[in-house]
Amino acid sequence: MDKKILGIIVGIVIIAIVSTVLAIPNSEIITQTNEKIGLVINSPSQSVTLQNLDEIYSEAASSGIGRSNVYLFWNLVEPVRGEFDWQQSDVLMSFNKKNNLKVTLYFSIINGETLGPFPSWIGKPPIISIGEDRMVSVLDAILSRYDIIDTVILAGETESQFRFNEQNIPVYKDLFNGVYEKTKEKHPDVKIGNAFALHHVINKNLRYIVTDLAVGDFIAFSYSPVDTLNDIVKTPEQAIEDLEQVFDLAGDKKVGIFELSWSTSDFVGGSDSSQTEFMQKSFDFYTANESELEFFTWYRQYDKPEGTCAFEEQEVGEDTLTVGGSGFGSSEHVIERLNQYVCSAGLINSDGTPKSSWIEFKKQVKMTN
């Protein structure tokens, strides 16, 4: 769902890096956490100081979660061939480590209909020309540097990439298997898989793509209860029925819930009460199926201010949610609803006041610990 992370966390521009990093106060570390339960940690604004970010991470960790998603693309970490830039990723990984959080790394060479983004020195290769050894090299560098990463997603909204390119499924499967095997040789404890947007799979009848690409250690799914116009059309009960389908789709693989969302925007049919009800029912789903789940991560911590969630067709970013891989085209109507959905998909309002779902989230997480 959410992908580019302008330095790794979607939409956040870290400012005042100067010596403020030394002035970050120690925050209380939560010792009792559930490593399966995660939250996409984000700032409500596009600019944030390190002290603000420290407080945001501390607040998230206070719920008892044990993981977060980090969206780190190839062009951010290796802008020059063989030369790695760790400045931004070091900051965010340090906050995860400080708060005792494991990391699901979104290092996606596929973002729905879009490939990459790749470094400029790679260009824009088709899948068949993506260098397997180069991918293994950069993944090895990342995993060797950050020991808190225990899961990696190589492709996101994978179903949308192959919806009209079925001939490339075997090509990607060969690439994935090669990268998987070589990466596992050096990092045997790291689990690797692909992610699919469950609502696209259901709405567009793309189940066959998921089953054709059931490779790796797990099959991950993002989910929002929307139709192809980005309107919420499911009740919380119906949304849980959708989630139940992931086990048949994954076959004998474990399932990862990568980004689970429900917007409170009435513009797209959401509300505080329906988000909270879905929160309750989703944790019932988690409890009933815990042994089959690799991780279970909610999207996102904070709303964004109205008017700051502006997307364009084929935009590849943490806040693309569904545009990049939706196949929705450039419809202004659809994108307007996407903007509204994403801006109000958090558990805390952009002004810092918690929604009832944030209170429920903390209650439910503590019940799993």
Side-chain angles (χ1 to χ4, degrees), residues 74 147 218 221 260 330:
W74 197 339
D147 60 3
F218 61 87
F221 295 92
L260 184 62
S330 58

Side-chain angles (χ1 to χ4, degrees), residues 292-308:
E292 301 300 317
L293 296 172
E294 194 66 47
F295 49 84
F296 184 82
T297 300
W298 264 85
Y299 167 97
R300 60 172 57 228
Q301 183 179 357
Y302 275 93
D303 280 356
K304 286 192 171 184
E306 186 176 352
T308 63

Side-chain angles (χ1 to χ4, degrees), residues 86-135:
W86 305 112
Q87 182 177 6
Q88 296 180 75
S89 56
D90 276 355
V91 171
L92 292 173
M93 290 295 189
S94 70
F95 283 122
N96 281 285
K97 191 159 191 173
K98 176 180 179 180
N99 289 282
N100 197 27
L101 300 178
K102 293 293 186 181
V103 166
T104 299
L105 175 69
Y106 185 89
F107 181 80
S108 186
I109 61 169
I110 290 175
N111 287 281
E113 296 173 357
T114 303
L115 294 180
F118 299 113
S120 58
W121 56 269
I122 292 179
K124 298 182 178 180
I127 290 177
I128 197 170
S129 299
I130 296 174
E132 177 183 305
D133 289 340
R134 289 304 308 165
M135 273 192 66

Side-chain angles (χ1 to χ4, degrees), residues 217-266:
D217 298 305
F218 61 87
I219 309 298
F221 295 92
S222 58
Y223 178 76
S224 53
V226 298
D227 59 12
T228 55
L229 299 179
N230 281 322
D231 284 321
I232 295 176
V233 294
K234 303 293 177 74
T235 65
E237 293 84 358
Q238 290 170 331
I240 296 301
E241 291 175 2
D242 284 350
L243 284 180
E244 294 285 358
Q245 298 185 43
V246 298
F247 301 110
D248 286 339
L249 288 167
D252 61 354
K253 302 289 184 182
K254 283 282 190 78
V255 169
I257 303 300
F258 176 52
E259 292 170 342
L260 184 62
S261 76
W262 190 290
S263 180
T264 58
S265 170
D266 58 5

Side-chain angles (χ1 to χ4, degrees), residues 63-221:
S63 68
I65 61 169
R67 78 172 47 250
S68 70
N69 292 352
V70 170
Y71 305 81
L72 178 56
F73 286 174
W74 197 339
N75 63 328
L76 296 173
V77 73
E78 193 182 13
V80 178
R81 183 184 179 108
E83 297 182 13
F84 297 102
D85 182 354
W86 305 112
Q87 182 177 6
Q88 296 180 75
S89 56
D90 276 355
V91 171
L92 292 173
M93 290 295 189
S94 70
F95 283 122
N96 281 285
K97 191 159 191 173
K98 176 180 179 180
N99 289 282
N100 197 27
L101 300 178
K102 293 293 186 181
V103 166
T104 299
L105 175 69
Y106 185 89
F107 181 80
S108 186
I109 61 169
I110 290 175
N111 287 281
E113 296 173 357
T114 303
L115 294 180
F118 299 113
S120 58
W121 56 269
I122 292 179
K124 298 182 178 180
I127 290 177
I128 197 170
S129 299
I130 296 174
E132 177 183 305
D133 289 340
R134 289 304 308 165
M135 273 192 66
V136 171
S137 175
V138 69
L139 281 173
D140 176 46
I142 294 170
L143 296 174
S144 297
R145 190 173 185 87
Y146 305 120
D147 60 3
I148 58 176
I149 298 173
D150 63 356
T151 50
V152 177
I153 291 177
L154 288 186
E157 292 192 9
T158 313
E159 77 294 330
S160 295
Q161 173 64 212
F162 298 109
R163 182 185 180 195
F164 300 114
N165 298 285
E166 294 179 31
Q167 73 279 3
N168 287 332
I169 291 177
V171 178
Y172 176 68
K173 187 180 292 188
D174 287 344
L175 174 64
F176 178 94
N177 288 334
V179 171
Y180 176 91
E181 292 171 4
K182 292 178 181 178
T183 302
K184 282 285 197 174
E185 289 177 2
K186 292 188 176 181
H187 306 278
D189 295 330
V190 175
K191 297 181 180 180
I192 306 172
N194 299 308
F196 302 82
L198 179 62
H199 44 291
H200 295 334
V201 171
I202 294 172
N203 292 340
K204 301 175 185 298
N205 195 24
L206 302 177
R207 293 167 177 81
Y208 67 96
I209 297 179
V210 182
T211 55
D212 283 353
L213 285 172
V215 292
D217 298 305
F218 61 87
I219 309 298
F221 295 92

Side-chain angles (χ1 to χ4, degrees), residues 39-43 55-61 298-303 345-349 358:
L39 177 66
V40 176
I41 301 172
N42 73 295
S43 165
E55 293 167 353
I56 289 168
Y57 266 85
S58 178
E59 178 182 44
W298 264 85
Y299 167 97
R300 60 172 57 228
Q301 183 179 357
Y302 275 93
D303 280 356
L347 307 181
I348 303 173
N349 290 303
W358 175 240

Side-chain angles (χ1 to χ4, degrees), residues 292-358:
E292 301 300 317
L293 296 172
E294 194 66 47
F295 49 84
F296 184 82
T297 300
W298 264 85
Y299 167 97
R300 60 172 57 228
Q301 183 179 357
Y302 275 93
D303 280 356
K304 286 192 171 184
E306 186 176 352
T308 63
C309 300
F311 311 114
E312 298 176 358
E313 183 187 11
Q314 297 299 310
E315 177 185 355
V316 178
E318 189 260 7
D319 282 331
T320 52
L321 189 63
T322 55
V323 169
S326 67
F328 291 168
S330 58
S331 165
E332 183 177 342
H333 175 88
V334 171
I335 293 176
E336 180 182 25
R337 276 153 177 73
L338 174 63
N339 296 340
Q340 295 284 342
Y341 187 101
V342 171
C343 266
S344 299
L347 307 181
I348 303 173
N349 290 303
S350 59
D351 64 4
T353 58
K355 302 179 184 180
S356 58
S357 56
W358 175 240

